Amino acid sequence: MSRRRLGQLEAEVLAVLAGAGGFLSPQEICDRLDGEPAYTTINTILFRLLDKQMVERTKHGRAYTYRLTADESGLAAERMFGHLRLAHDPSAVLSQFVHGLSPHEEAALRALLEDPGGET
Amino acid sequence: MSLEIYLPVALLSMTTMLLAWRQPRMHPAWHARVLAVLIGATALAVLGVLVFIIMIALGPLERTNATVLGRVLIGHEKVPSPVAAVVCAILLMIGVAVARTVAKWRRELRTTRALGTGVVADVRPFALAVPGRDGGVILSSGLVGMLSRRELEVVLRHEIAHMKHRHHLYLVIGTIATRIFPPLIYPHRALCYAVERWADEEAAVAVGDRTLTARTIARVALAQSPAAPGPSPALTGSHVSRRVLALMGQSPPDNRISGPVLLSGAWMATGSAISPALSHQASLLLVLL
């Protein structure tokens, strides 16, 4: 596996924490990532995330354990995303999770979500 | 002008359109790869033909009759100068369109990179994967607020797949190709869909729950739609409901063998289709020099 960019690794750490739900030690996070990134790298990323208030930590014995910030309002979201058009319709270089829906698609999706067969 | 120089373009376009339209039952990762190769090759072939026409128009053909390479060119009659002028104008327009698109990308990347990764304050639920060294995932506070932890993992895994496989390169190839040859918009849309499906499938494997993945996509899309009255939906031709349906069905075959075979087949086919056109040009260049 090639060396990952820090931004990608940061997202992977977040995904691991989101999947786990509770507190994880940096070593546990390392173990759950592919390609066994260095412990110090993970610590650096956790510090950055702590700085952005996206994770919170608690002392567990002598080491810290981390989890996703439980209270969403506590997330450091003071940076505004002012680019109206960019959020709606980013061009090819930025991948967006979903694009807008047509009214027809919206109806189809609502039907899918309300379908009792598809309930989890 | 002999018609044979248009043959590679015609063949490649037809193959590309067919593959985009038929949507073979294969893993979206392989579909995206094959489509990107075919779309890129078609655009290159079109460019090749345009440049070739101009070269014939400019070329001092009479003087080169004696050389072996010159004989390649005898088959082509002189291009009337209005045609050459039109082709020149088309090439210029393509150049401008590509330059403008690239400039727009650079602006967008600069603004999003300056913002940094992580959560940004915005009620609209969206997630963006920013490619490159300073890239990462940007999540809106609206999105984080509406999703459960597991659903957030789906979104993150989807965006991670985009970054890991450098999906922006596929979309850049496709977009530039449509600037060169506008009919490629149809296969380009199929490519966009394949890339999203690819990321969806990776997310579903990573979280181990296809239904959860499908529901997350549907929820985010539905939450987004009333807040987005802009002109984008019709334009982007979103494939959200198809993506959700695909996830509710079976997981796709992984094409461990047929995928690479098809991809190398596409490489060879495009190579053999383009190379006569390119070698034509190369020989012409040699003659002119």
Side-chain angles (χ1 to χ4, degrees), chain B residues 173-254:
Chain B
I173 290 174
T175 309
I176 289 186
T178 57
R179 297 289 183 274
I180 293 171
F181 190 46
L184 285 174
I185 186 74
Y186 300 105
H188 175 57
R189 286 202 187 127
L191 177 64
C192 293
Y193 173 70
V195 162
E196 291 304 324
R197 284 278 304 123
W198 184 351
D200 287 347
E201 286 299 332
E202 287 237 343
V205 170
V207 299
D209 190 341
R210 297 180 68 80
T211 318
L212 176 75
T213 311
R215 291 179 66 86
T216 307
I217 294 166
R219 280 196 62 204
V220 175
L222 283 175
Q224 209 176 38
S225 70
S232 54
L235 218 138
T236 47
S238 78
H239 309 287
V240 176
S241 47
R242 273 170 73 203
R243 279 165 63 190
V244 171
L245 277 176
L247 279 166
M248 288 185 156
Q250 295 174 325
S251 49
D254 64 358

Side-chain angles (χ1 to χ4, degrees), chain A residues 10 52 69 77 79 91 100 105, chain B residues 108 115 117 119 121 129 149 238:
Chain A
E10 182 189 85
K52 295 177 187 170
T69 308
R79 295 168 308 149
S91 58
E105 268 194 319
Chain B
E108 285 188 4
L115 206 59
T117 57
V119 180
R149 292 277 174 265
S238 78

Side-chain angles (χ1 to χ4, degrees), chain A residues 27-42:
Chain A
Q27 188 56 55
E28 284 170 317
I29 295 170
C30 277
D31 295 342
R32 288 170 197 220
L33 290 166
D34 316 321
E36 298 189 14
Y39 181 84
T40 48
T41 315
I42 297 306

Side-chain angles (χ1 to χ4, degrees), chain B residues 253-277:
Chain B
D254 64 358
N255 302 109
R256 216 173 280 276
I257 293 163
S258 59
V261 166
L262 192 60
L263 184 64
S264 48
W267 271 115
M268 283 192 284
T270 57
S272 56
I274 290 185
S275 63

Side-chain angles (χ1 to χ4, degrees), chain B residues 107-168:
Chain B
R107 271 201 310 278
E108 285 188 4
L109 279 181
R110 212 178 310 125
T111 34
T112 44
R113 279 181 186 154
L115 206 59
T117 57
V119 180
V120 292
D122 203 309
V123 285
R124 295 165 291 179
F126 63 85
L128 294 172
V130 186
R133 195 170 292 282
D134 314 316
V137 176
I138 294 178
L139 304 166
S140 74
S141 51
L143 181 86
V144 177
M146 69 169 278
L147 295 181
S148 70
R149 292 277 174 265
R150 299 271 334 254
E151 288 170 329
L152 191 62
E153 195 194 357
V154 171
V155 176
L156 285 166
R157 292 291 180 197
H158 176 99
E159 301 301 337
I160 290 166
H162 280 322
M163 287 193 279
K164 190 164 131 199
H165 300 293
R166 292 161 200 267
H167 283 165
H168 65 286

Side-chain angles (χ1 to χ4, degrees), chain A residues 35-109:
Chain A
E36 298 189 14
Y39 181 84
T40 48
T41 315
I42 297 306
N43 248 335
T44 310
I45 285 173
L46 285 169
F47 258 73
R48 276 174 41 170
L49 289 173
L50 200 64
D51 208 38
K52 295 177 187 170
Q53 298 177 27
M54 292 180 75
V55 299
E56 50 195 17
R57 67 179 180 185
T58 176
K59 200 124 193 180
H60 184 83
R62 290 175 60 198
Y64 283 110
T65 54
Y66 297 81
R67 75 168 179 195
L68 236 52
T69 308
D71 177 19
E72 272 97 22
S73 62
L75 284 167
E78 61 243 16
R79 295 168 308 149
M80 299 291 284
F81 194 84
H83 313 284
L84 194 78
R85 202 196 50 72
L86 211 56
H88 285 332
D89 184 27
S91 58
V93 279
L94 301 169
S95 313
Q96 197 185 16
F97 186 58
V98 288
H99 288 285
L101 291 173
S102 63
H104 170 74
E105 268 194 319
E106 189 174 332
L109 273 191

